[in-house]
Amino acid sequence: MPYALEADIAELNHETNRITLDVEYAGTDINVYLADGGLSFDLEALKGVDVIERETYSLSNIPVQVMKKDNMHYRLECQLPESVFVTENRDEIRIPFILGMQAHAGIEVYPPMLTIPGRLRNLSVGGCMVEIDLFESIALNVGQVIPGVTLAFPDGERFYAQGCVRHIRPFGNNGYAAVGIQFINLSSSQLEALSRYVHEAEREAAYRTGMRGTMISQSPLFLCGQQEQKGRQREQQEREPRARQSPMEQGVMAVAHRLQVALMYIKTHDLLPIRIFYDSVDTLLYLLKQDRKALLYALSYLRDEPDWVRHAVQVAAKLADMLILRDPHDPHVREATLGAIMHTLGKPLLVSAALPSLKACMDPAQKMILRTHVGALLNRLRELGWSPGLTCRDVIENANERLDGMGYPAGKQGSQLSSLVRLLSVIKAINKLTNARNGVSPLTPLTACRYIYQADSAYDRAIIVEYLQVYGFYPIGSLAKYAGGFLAWIMDVDGKGKPSVVHVVKNLRCPESNISSVMSGSDLAQIGALEDVVDPADYGLNVVKLQAVIRSEKPFFTRTASENRQSVASPSPGFPGY
């Protein structure tokens, strides 16, 4: 289903092997979520208080009884299987990797340009399921032949084979996807090796679940080699205690994840889940109404999400903010925000062998391909049978146009552009310039505004001035550097646009330690005079992502040679309506 339901575990009975789930569902027929009377779901647990860990487990085709409690609430009583081991249709046993079982996976999509790193979630002789970052799924399609799949086990052993993607779906609620891969063109030696790996995985799972019998010792396949041990030791040292995100930050991350899920269904199921897009818009408008300054601050948590997602959410939120500040009763805000949040969707639709990644530095030919993203999106929406409204279409079609006619795709100019598009083009340009893109370092907000102000009438100067009056030279959500050597996130500004509340996170005189202290008023004098806004990437300030993948001393797999940096993002335990 394109729109997953979120359930709470109400009861777990070990004697009867039954689990009871509570679900809120506003639709007319919850049975659409049942396949032949069975229910499939992911269990996802966030453990710990200071250092938060994530564990997941998937169950498929579980017998279920549905009981309706009231108009929107249901109770699902599920009968759990007797064993964690599952027999597939081909009479092959599938072993889930549970209770800390670790193995790395690498999916070669466009060798040698793109290899997607992931974590092995289950294994059988016929195939495997790999957990990857949600944003990596843009390069995969159902039925796609994978030139190479590499499995790397803790003891150092590796297995390599060709594969074919059989399914892709969201996995849990924290920005991951599950990819089902069937092994193809296996030789007799590969089949023999796979059989041994499956047997050893079964032995390890039996050992960890406390089964008794002949398999009572741990499998040597899952004993850490020297390289794996060093990687785990370093990870333990690097991990910092952190608090759970605020509901505002959770909501922003949930919107970012929803957009990536929607893209997945457009690419792999030829289905436009328009409800996801409208729910994302409604969430942003709801958060804006609750506390606009808290929302502007929470938008900074998107800095390590894919550029197309970060840009879409940040621009859509600021567009809605400025439109509401102009007129709180503007009837076009929702459709305008929808257009802004969908506008960049055409970029990941263009990912192919010619454009294997949106993250790497692009050559001129790839940049030209990327400029066709507006047409690619509109063509795809037409194929899926959905036509945007006038306001939404205006934003999608014209967001990249400029007053001087030097924009794209149609080179429109002057009076051909609506006041809405004139506003949006300024917001987009400043967002683009203040974030690193294609190897170009970001500008400070003040420098970015000066740049577009002097851009030969390409942008409406009155709107640039209006933008500065609203957000200032030191916008909320920016990272400020102070003369005392401190780095702090700006949480609020005063009437003159100077930071009045900041979250201090780093003392550059003690680079190995982290700080978390909110300061305001006269206390700001303790960290020195404000110097300027700086780039978080220059100081290694990333957003921690809940991941169970254990890093090794050297990366097992990298996306491209130029993208060897670990991708990170924030956990999102969920937001109402997600």
Side-chain angles (χ1 to χ4, degrees):
M1 297 294 291
Y3 199 92
L5 299 181
E6 185 175 298
D8 293 321
I9 299 175
E11 183 181 351
L12 178 63
N13 191 318
H14 293 277
E15 295 181 358
T16 61
N17 234 22
R18 295 176 72 88
I19 186 171
T20 302
L21 308 177
D22 282 342
V23 177
E24 182 176 314
Y25 178 62
T28 57
D29 185 12
I30 198 172
N31 289 315
V32 296
Y33 283 88
L34 309 181
D36 299 324
L39 185 69
S40 297
F41 55 90
D42 299 324
L43 293 168
E44 186 170 39
L46 304 183
K47 303 168 58 179
V49 177
D50 293 327
V51 178
I52 302 175
E53 297 179 345
R54 167 180 168 270
E55 287 192 6
T56 59
Y57 180 58
S58 296
L59 290 163
S60 301
N61 301 320
I62 302 300
V64 61
Q65 291 182 342
V66 180
M67 294 177 290
K68 191 170 185 177
K69 297 170 62 178
D70 56 42
N71 288 338
M72 295 179 58
H73 294 87
Y74 294 81
R75 175 153 290 197
L76 311 179
E77 291 192 356
C78 307
Q79 184 64 51
L80 298 176
E82 294 296 328
S83 172
V84 296
F85 307 128
V86 179
T87 302
E88 296 182 328
N89 295 333
R90 298 182 295 273
D91 293 329
E92 298 167 349
I93 189 169
R94 184 172 75 244
I95 310 300
F97 279 45
I98 54 176
L99 299 177
M101 291 174 63
Q102 301 282 347
H104 300 270
I107 305 173
E108 295 181 5
V109 185
Y110 303 119
M113 295 298 296
L114 177 61
T115 296
I116 298 175
R119 179 192 179 191
L120 194 61
R121 279 300 186 179
N122 65 46
L123 179 66
S124 72
V125 175
C128 63
M129 187 170 79
V130 179
E131 177 186 285
I132 64 175
D133 282 307
L134 186 58
F135 73 85
E136 301 278 16
S137 65
I138 66 174
L140 299 174
N141 286 296
V142 174
Q144 181 176 350
V145 174
I146 302 299
V149 180
T150 302
L151 308 181
F153 295 93
D155 72 339
E157 289 194 53
R158 291 183 174 226
F159 174 78
Y160 181 85
Q162 289 181 297
C164 181
V165 177
R166 290 305 181 198
H167 68 81
I168 310 173
R169 65 174 180 82
F171 192 70
N173 201 26
N174 285 281
Y176 292 92
V179 183
I181 299 175
Q182 179 186 354
F183 298 128
I184 59 175
N185 301 326
L186 294 174
S187 65
S188 57
S189 59
Q190 287 175 313
L191 281 170
E192 182 179 349
L194 264 178
S195 298
R196 183 171 70 84
Y197 293 142
V198 172
H199 172 76
E200 292 299 321
E202 181 181 10
R203 172 181 172 181
E204 181 71 14
Y207 170 78
R208 294 186 182 230
T209 54
M211 294 183 182
R212 292 293 177 261
T214 57
M215 296 182 292
I216 57 174
S217 62
Q218 188 172 9
S219 166
L221 191 67
F222 291 88
L223 295 175
C224 293
Q226 184 177 5
Q227 182 180 359
E228 181 81 0
Q229 287 178 349
K230 288 182 178 179
R232 295 190 182 190
Q233 288 172 358
R234 186 199 290 119
E235 184 189 59
Q236 188 65 29
Q237 293 171 357
E238 290 177 350
R239 294 179 67 183
E240 294 288 344
R242 60 180 304 279
R244 292 182 182 269
Q245 288 179 310
S246 70
M248 188 69 71
E249 293 153 6
Q250 294 172 17
V252 168
M253 293 305 302
V255 170
H257 293 159
R258 289 182 204 173
L259 296 185
Q260 296 173 75
V261 169
L263 173 68
M264 180 188 299
Y265 278 88
I266 290 173
K267 285 175 62 77
T268 62
H269 291 74
D270 291 327
L271 175 68
L272 178 67
I274 193 62
R275 176 184 168 191
I276 291 181
F277 291 107
Y278 273 111
D279 277 0
S280 298
V281 170
D282 291 341
T283 297
L284 286 179
L285 297 178
Y286 172 80
L287 296 177
L288 193 59
K289 181 180 178 181
Q290 291 297 304
D291 190 336
R292 64 175 294 268
K293 290 184 177 180
L295 173 61
L296 294 174
Y297 176 68
L299 292 175
S300 66
Y301 276 75
L302 298 172
R303 60 189 177 273
D304 295 323
E305 289 295 300
D307 281 343
W308 71 270
V309 175
R310 175 199 53 74
H311 185 69
V313 178
Q314 290 179 345
V315 168
K318 286 198 171 180
L319 176 64
D321 183 39
M322 291 194 70
L323 288 175
I324 292 174
L325 288 175
R326 285 179 171 183
D327 180 5
H329 306 291
D330 187 343
H332 302 295
V333 170
R334 191 172 188 242
E335 285 296 305
T337 307
L338 176 65
I341 213 167
M342 295 182 73
H343 170 72
T344 58
L345 200 63
K347 294 182 178 181
L349 291 175
L350 292 172
V351 171
S352 63
L355 185 65
S357 173
L358 298 177
K359 200 173 181 65
C361 295
M362 300 179 190
D363 58 37
Q366 291 173 330
K367 290 181 180 179
M368 289 302 297
I369 294 174
L370 197 62
R371 287 172 69 92
T372 67
H373 72 90
V374 175
L377 173 59
L378 291 173
N379 289 338
R380 195 72 180 104
L381 295 178
R382 191 180 304 112
E383 292 170 357
L384 297 174
W386 186 75
S387 179
L390 293 178
T391 301
C392 180
R393 178 176 288 276
D394 183 28
V395 170
I396 292 175
E397 286 186 348
N398 301 313
N400 289 316
E401 302 289 358
R402 292 171 28 166
L403 293 178
D404 59 2
M406 298 301 292
Y408 68 91
K412 296 179 182 179
Q413 58 182 323
S415 60
Q416 293 177 292
L417 303 179
S418 65
S419 60
L420 174 61
V421 169
R422 291 168 182 243
L423 171 61
L424 178 61
S425 64
V426 169
I427 297 173
K428 277 178 55 64
I430 295 175
N431 186 271
K432 177 181 177 180
L433 293 172
T434 52
N435 287 276
R437 292 166 66 93
N438 294 327
V440 179
S441 299
L443 303 179
T444 65
L446 176 58
T447 305
C449 288
R450 283 175 176 169
Y451 181 88
I452 66 170
Y453 190 84
Q454 299 168 357
D456 297 328
S457 301
Y459 303 95
D460 190 323
R461 289 186 170 182
I463 294 178
I464 299 174
V465 173
E466 179 188 3
Y467 182 94
L468 283 172
Q469 290 173 339
V470 172
Y471 300 111
F473 299 144
Y474 307 100
I476 294 174
S478 301
L479 182 67
K481 183 181 179 183
Y482 286 82
F486 292 92
L487 298 178
W489 293 102
I490 300 173
M491 300 181 70
D492 199 359
V493 294
D494 59 22
K496 297 181 180 180
K498 291 291 186 71
S500 58
V501 181
V502 301
H503 180 198
V504 182
V505 293
K506 184 71 87 174
N507 181 355
L508 297 179
R509 296 175 181 175
C510 304
E512 299 302 321
S513 61
N514 288 333
I515 307 172
S516 181
S517 177
V518 176
M519 304 181 71
S520 62
S522 59
D523 292 339
L524 293 177
Q526 300 176 33
I527 57 178
L530 175 65
E531 292 187 345
D532 209 345
V533 170
V534 294
D535 182 12
D538 291 342
Y539 301 93
L541 294 182
N542 298 322
V543 184
V544 179
K545 181 166 186 174
L546 291 176
Q547 56 181 355
V549 179
I550 302 298
R551 285 186 297 226
S552 61
E553 184 176 12
K554 296 180 180 179
F556 279 87
F557 309 104
T558 56
R559 301 184 68 245
T560 69
S562 62
E563 299 173 39
N564 202 11
R565 184 174 60 85
Q566 292 277 347
S567 297
V568 289
S570 293
S572 174
F575 189 77
Y578 180 40

